[in-house]
Amino acid sequence: MLNARIVALFDDYASSHQHPTNRLTHKIAIPVIVLHIVAMLDWVKLVAIPVLPGGVLTLGMVAWALATLWYLRADVKLGLIVSAGMALCFPLGRLLPVWAVIAIAVFGWLIQLAGHAVWEKKSPSFFTNLVHALVGPMFFVAMLTGDYSMKSTPVDASSASRA
């Protein structure tokens, strides 16, 4: 059972993700965007620590640890899933050449923004609430696991007659 705080965040996030095609674009774009963000942050080397993979602490590792704390605090089960998915981005990102990570970034953001511009006709929710940049991955994991389902919104009769 999700706590009231995360349900409120999911409900707010869902309000900007009503169109099914926009939600589909996000199912593609969010994992790709997470991959590129983790990979790019992993390029920033902070300090040598021989026991870490690669022997160095990176900005990606710090960001992953902080995000993991936020996710686990929000919901343990979903947090573990999202955190594990993000962790898999490290070895994958290290296998990819720089040009591929940049191409993935461009592709992911174009797909994400197209979902909002073409189908949703609303700005991405993180433009008004930066926390939604963290909420997005957890929201779609919660949808996939069945831990959250969107409330159906009634169709406005005047807009339905124009369609």
Side-chain angles (χ1 to χ4, degrees):
M1 182 84 175
L2 297 174
N3 69 49
R5 185 177 139 264
I6 198 69
V7 169
L9 283 169
F10 284 174
D11 288 346
D12 189 36
Y13 185 87
S15 70
S16 294
H17 299 86
Q18 293 296 309
H19 197 283
T21 304
N22 183 41
R23 288 195 306 271
L24 175 62
T25 64
H26 282 55
K27 288 175 186 170
I28 298 164
I30 286 177
V32 169
I33 289 169
V34 169
L35 169 61
H36 99 75
I37 289 172
V38 170
M40 287 180 168
L41 290 176
D42 197 42
W43 296 341
V44 181
K45 313 253 185 269
L46 299 176
V47 63
I49 301 179
V51 296
L52 292 176
V56 66
L57 179 68
T58 68
L59 186 56
M61 293 172 180
V62 172
W64 172 80
L66 293 173
T68 295
L69 288 173
W70 188 90
Y71 286 126
L72 291 174
R73 194 166 162 254
D75 184 85
V76 174
K77 174 187 160 188
L78 297 175
L80 287 171
I81 295 168
V82 174
S83 180
M86 287 177 68
L88 291 173
C89 294
F90 285 102
L92 184 55
R94 290 176 181 180
L95 288 173
L96 294 169
V98 170
W99 68 264
V101 174
I102 293 169
I104 286 169
V106 170
F107 171 77
W109 284 107
L110 286 175
I111 295 296
Q112 171 104 342
L113 295 173
H116 282 281
V118 175
W119 292 284
E120 195 68 44
K121 309 271 193 255
K122 285 185 179 178
S123 297
S125 57
F126 70 88
F127 281 7
T128 56
N129 184 349
L130 198 52
V131 171
H132 282 199
L134 288 170
V135 172
M138 184 177 262
F139 174 85
F140 283 98
V141 168
M143 294 280 289
L144 287 171
T145 61
D147 289 305
Y148 179 81
S149 58
M150 293 179 58
K151 296 155 185 69
S152 59
T153 55
V155 177
D156 180 352
S158 62
S159 63
S161 63
R162 286 182 260 149

